[in-house]
Amino acid sequence: LITSIFLLAWCLGQMPTMGFITSDSTAYDGYTLFTPKLFGNTYLIDINGRLVNQWESNYNPAATVYLLENGNLLRATKLSDPQGGSGGFQVLTWEDSLLWEYAQGRQHHDIEPLPNGNVLLIVNDIKTDQEAAAMGRDTLLLGEGLRSLRIMEVAAGDSGSTDLVWEWYAWDHLVQDYDSTRPNFAVVSQHPELINLNFSTDNNANWIHPNSIDYNPELDQIIVSCRTFNELWVIDHSTTTAEAAGHSGGYSNMGGDLLYRWGNPASYGRGDTTDQILYGQHDARWIESGRPGSGNIMYFNNGLGRPAGAWSSVGEIVPPVDSSGHYFLPPDLAFEPHSEFWNYTAPTPTDLYSPKFSGAQRLPNGNTLICSGVGGNIIEVTAAGQLVWQYINPVSNGGPLNQGEAVHHNDLYRVARYGPDYPGLAGKDLTPGSPIEIYLGIDQSFEVDQSRQINLFPNFPNPFNPNTTIRFTLAKSGPVVLTIYALDGRAVKSLLDAKLPAGDHRLVWDGTGNNGQPLGSGVYFYRIDNGVADVTGRLILLK
């Protein structure tokens, strides 16, 4: 009994607190890319949480990152900017060599690669109180100036320079009903295509707080998530810069006015708080062509200030747009739809809650990859809401953590999954290495021959039914014993007792005991011992 108690305590101490947690056969196989919010390196892992590639950074971390179709990495960079900017971006090769760098400040939150190789940036457009008052800003909302929104499109120039090729300013598309002496004075509800300069709940300088940008190549349109408006805005990218500053021109002949907005119709005077659906949302994006829901708009609804309670969800809407990219708006009513087409909320809603950061991506098999940013929790769910994969960011502000310790400072902005057939992975060495987290698999209380260390990988799948694969590597050949234990400490299966060569080894357990009979559902543990060192792992058998 005493032996069983000690074994149980020892095994429980090895339960994974980070990295790969679980997967099943319906998870979308591929490679997940992310940059921790507080540590600058970028990581690409396989479906089992093993490191495939990483890119180091000399910048403070900025969390938006993309693997481009040519195999290069596009990564935001962060600079110190007292006016709230993050910096710019870098383009790096697979081997981590710098190809292009833009570092002029005031870019923040997000960047977006375009098919032509250019990059869209969200940029702070700083306005003084005097400038804001001159446009009709309510004087009660002044005091700190304003951060308005500018969108820039930049291209790589000669000798590493960067050229500005297109831009759009929110400041060119304002309406207000406060100061009748200003030319933009009008009834707000009659101009849903314009931005109400006085829509605000306080005098926060971060008036719009844009936090994501996405591009639709079929429509040549841009979508921006505006956190403090609790809205998504769509604008026309087919305009010239001059047309983008006005109210006509471009494919939609609306210049740079808003083509579509959704989430909070009170912002343009066609609704109230009962009509609001978005609460501090992030990562508004169109679902990519060829994926279930293609052309629909998806977002992570953080739930900040949600009247029903503090919990997050992922939503999908079908925008009222025709094949030509024109949006339908009923006279004097709000933009449709009035409800979401699809929604994921955790079975216990508060189990998914991130008041900031976060995002979601529709995968080719119809599943949805969700990044709950605060706490670095990544899950994949089916259309029916079944959890099929989970990974917890194991990187803190000081780098990778030790497996088993409490995770901390491991926030993520968002993540992306790329399938094995993604063009950017073609011809790349995708041989998986070790997990990012550190596994201390040796008892350090006595002298150990380090050359015989055992490196253990998470078994996959886990939970499992009927089989799971246990994988480990040996630095040196020698006798190895692998035993599976029940939760009460009983040895239920002797899976291996043999001399093995150095290198990679895989064993399959089918959930049966030593008598060949199936064991019941539950938590089991396995111990791998080579007489000098030992490691342990956890298995969850489902029936």
Side-chain angles (χ1 to χ4, degrees):
L1 177 61
I2 293 174
T3 301
S4 298
I5 292 172
F6 274 107
L7 177 63
L8 176 58
W10 166 70
C11 288
L12 289 174
Q14 298 295 318
M15 285 186 177
T17 57
M18 67 191 75
F20 175 83
I21 303 297
T22 188
S23 180
D24 74 14
S25 60
T26 61
Y28 179 70
D29 189 21
Y31 300 88
T32 304
L33 182 74
F34 63 93
T35 297
K37 194 80 173 73
L38 299 175
F39 191 75
N41 288 3
T42 297
Y43 301 94
L44 185 70
I45 59 172
D46 72 0
I47 195 69
N48 297 319
R50 297 171 297 182
L51 185 63
V52 173
N53 200 28
Q54 70 173 311
W55 296 261
E56 297 184 358
S57 178
N58 294 323
Y59 285 95
N60 291 326
T64 300
V65 62
Y66 301 89
L67 184 65
L68 304 177
E69 290 193 353
N70 62 8
N72 293 332
L73 187 83
L74 171 64
R75 177 176 62 193
T77 56
K78 193 168 186 179
L79 303 171
S80 178
D81 184 347
Q83 293 181 310
S86 295
F89 61 83
Q90 293 176 318
V91 176
L92 305 163
T93 67
W94 180 266
E95 295 77 19
D96 207 8
S97 296
L98 180 65
L99 296 174
W100 178 22
E101 183 173 69
Y102 174 82
Q104 298 181 20
R106 295 195 182 176
Q107 173 274 328
H108 63 94
H109 280 88
D110 199 10
I111 54 179
E112 170 73 4
L114 297 179
N116 61 3
N118 295 350
V119 179
L120 290 173
L121 298 84
I122 296 175
V123 180
N124 277 323
D125 180 26
I126 306 300
K127 302 297 182 183
T128 65
D129 281 345
Q130 292 73 24
E131 290 173 313
M135 292 296 289
R137 178 78 166 175
D138 188 335
T139 55
L140 295 177
L141 301 176
L142 297 175
E144 301 179 43
L146 285 181
R147 293 187 212 166
S148 189
L149 169 60
R150 177 190 183 192
I151 299 174
M152 294 172 52
E153 179 183 346
V154 297
D158 297 331
S159 303
S161 63
T162 298
D163 297 331
L164 175 65
V165 297
W166 183 86
E167 60 185 338
W168 176 92
Y169 289 87
W171 207 248
D172 294 325
H173 305 279
L174 302 179
V175 66
Q176 53 84 26
D177 56 7
Y178 171 76
D179 188 343
S180 61
T181 68
R182 306 301 175 183
N184 60 354
F185 179 82
V187 177
V188 171
S189 63
Q190 294 180 4
H191 293 277
E193 78 283 4
L194 300 177
I195 303 162
N196 182 2
L197 181 59
N198 292 312
F199 182 74
S200 177
T201 56
D202 54 36
N203 63 346
N204 190 334
N206 201 352
W207 167 52
I208 297 175
H209 196 135
N211 57 32
S212 75
I213 187 169
D214 189 49
Y215 176 72
N216 187 318
E218 287 82 18
L219 301 177
D220 199 8
Q221 294 174 1
I222 295 169
I223 189 169
V224 182
S225 168
C226 303
R227 179 170 167 89
T228 50
F229 272 66
N230 301 298
E231 271 196 310
L232 318 175
W233 294 350
V234 175
I235 62 173
D236 194 346
H237 178 259
S238 71
T239 59
T240 64
T241 295
E243 289 171 336
H247 310 289
S248 63
Y251 189 77
S252 297
N253 198 30
M254 291 181 62
D257 288 344
L258 305 187
L259 304 180
Y260 178 65
R261 60 198 304 174
W262 189 84
N264 185 20
S267 69
Y268 53 102
R270 295 195 179 186
D272 55 31
T273 56
T274 63
D275 301 303
Q276 183 176 340
I277 296 177
L278 297 182
Y279 295 90
Q281 77 292 331
H282 282 76
D283 196 19
R285 63 169 76 188
W286 282 281
I287 297 175
E288 295 179 42
S289 177
R291 303 189 178 192
S294 172
N296 293 348
I297 295 173
M298 193 164 64
Y299 45 81
F300 187 97
N301 196 359
N302 293 75
L304 186 65
R306 190 195 301 264
W311 45 271
S312 301
S313 58
V314 175
E316 175 188 347
I317 60 169
V318 181
V321 61
D322 62 25
S323 59
S324 299
H326 298 121
Y327 294 84
F328 174 72
L329 175 61
D332 301 320
L333 298 178
F335 277 107
E336 296 178 348
H338 301 304
S339 60
E340 294 170 317
F341 173 75
W342 178 83
N343 174 282
Y344 173 77
T345 301
T348 301
T350 52
D351 286 349
L352 179 70
Y353 181 56
S354 177
K356 51 187 178 179
F357 320 136
S358 311
Q361 176 193 16
R362 178 60 45 79
L363 300 173
N365 67 350
N367 291 351
T368 300
L369 187 69
I370 300 171
C371 170
S372 183
V374 175
N377 187 27
I378 312 170
I379 62 174
E380 180 182 340
V381 299
T382 65
Q386 177 188 358
L387 176 69
V388 297
W389 188 83
Q390 184 178 15
Y391 181 90
I392 296 175
N393 173 31
V395 183
S396 183
N397 54 342
L401 297 165
N402 295 322
Q403 180 61 274
E405 70 176 295
V407 291
H408 55 88
H409 299 103
N410 70 327
D411 295 347
L412 294 171
Y413 186 63
R414 65 175 183 232
V415 303
R417 175 81 54 81
Y418 300 91
D421 58 347
Y422 181 67
L425 297 172
K428 300 297 187 293
D429 182 3
L430 301 176
T431 304
S434 301
I436 299 171
E437 64 273 18
I438 301 169
Y439 283 79
L440 301 177
I442 300 176
D443 184 351
Q444 301 293 343
S445 63
F446 57 91
E447 187 176 348
V448 173
D449 178 2
Q450 296 289 344
S451 67
R452 300 182 68 185
Q453 181 176 349
I454 305 167
N455 188 16
L456 179 63
F457 298 85
N459 60 290
F460 178 80
N462 193 31
F464 72 97
N465 180 17
N467 300 319
T468 189
T469 298
I470 299 171
R471 181 192 170 204
F472 59 95
T473 60
L474 298 175
K476 188 176 180 180
S477 64
V480 178
V481 174
L482 196 163
T483 307
I484 296 174
Y485 297 88
L487 192 59
D488 61 6
R490 291 178 298 111
V492 296
K493 182 76 171 186
S494 177
L495 200 60
L496 174 69
D497 188 353
K499 184 176 181 178
L500 296 179
D504 189 77
H505 299 278
R506 290 176 171 85
L507 294 173
V508 175
W509 184 43
D510 60 2
T512 62
N514 285 322
N515 60 4
Q517 297 300 311
L519 297 173
S521 299
V523 177
Y524 295 84
F525 299 93
Y526 61 96
R527 181 184 183 185
I528 305 174
D529 190 340
N530 69 351
V532 178
D534 56 67
V535 295
T536 185
R538 180 182 65 160
L539 308 127
I540 302 176
L541 174 60
L542 299 178
K543 292 292 187 178

